[in-house]
Amino acid sequence: IRLKFELDGNVTGLHIRNYVAVPYSGDNADATITTSLDAWTNVLSGATTLSAALADGSITIAGNADAAVSALRAFDVKGLAV
């Protein structure tokens, strides 16, 4: 899956394939994750969960959201697990 991240106007991408995550431009992504750097930091630090951030609207996912969430949950990060 190819994920595009838009964090406070900054754009980057992550291509996950064969159990390897590779940074890339974010062009032609399967899903786009839009949020603030603060909200993403809260998820990665475990201060909140991805599910909670999606529910409160601080993180949105356009495109194939189910596949994006499934891919992110593969990472050993507490905030992405739930």
Side-chain angles (χ1 to χ4, degrees):
I1 185 168
R2 294 165 302 182
L3 302 175
K4 179 179 181 179
F5 293 86
E6 295 181 353
L7 307 173
D8 291 332
N10 296 303
V11 177
T12 191
L14 193 62
H15 187 180
I16 303 168
R17 65 182 186 285
N18 299 324
Y19 304 102
V20 176
V22 179
Y24 91 111
S25 67
D27 294 340
N28 301 312
D30 300 301
T32 299
I33 299 163
T34 304
T35 188
S36 67
L37 185 56
D38 287 342
W40 190 241
T41 299
N42 286 337
V43 169
L44 295 182
S45 70
T48 191
T49 64
L50 179 60
S51 297
L54 288 167
D56 72 17
S58 61
I59 293 178
T60 60
I61 302 176
N64 193 341
D66 290 338
V69 169
S70 179
L72 290 171
R73 286 189 174 155
F75 290 95
D76 189 18
V77 175
K78 181 180 176 183
L80 296 174
V82 181

